Amino acid sequence: SVMLTVLSCVLVANRIKSEVNNGTVVDTAVSTAFKSAKSKIFDINFVLAIISLMGWFAPKEAARILGKSTSWLAKKRMADKQ
C-alpha cells in the first residue's frame, strides 16, 4: 500500500508539473492532474488485485499439477488438506 501511495503521488505530481509547464494555471493544473491520474491509479489497483489473486491460487494449482509443493504457502495448504 505504501508503494501505491508513492506511485499515486508521483503520477499526480508529474501531471501537475507537465500542465504548469504547458502554461496552465496551477489551480486548473491540479484538478486536471487528479482527474487524469484517477483512472491510472484505478488500473494499477485493479492489476494489483489480479496479481494478488494469482499469487493466492497459483501455488496451490502448481502444487496440484506438479504433485509437489512449490512454496511455503503451497506446503501449508497441502498439509491443511491432508
Side-chain angles (χ1 to χ4, degrees), residues 28-43:
T28 307
V30 170
S31 76
T32 305
F34 276 104
K35 285 178 185 175
S36 68
K38 198 183 301 183
S39 66
K40 292 175 186 166
I41 293 168
F42 176 77
D43 290 343

Side-chain angles (χ1 to χ4, degrees), residues 8-20 24-41:
S8 301
C9 290
V10 169
L11 280 171
V12 171
N14 283 336
R15 189 67 182 153
I16 290 171
K17 184 178 166 183
S18 68
E19 289 289 327
V20 169
T24 308
V25 180
V26 174
D27 209 21
T28 307
V30 170
S31 76
T32 305
F34 276 104
K35 285 178 185 175
S36 68
K38 198 183 301 183
S39 66
K40 292 175 186 166
I41 293 168

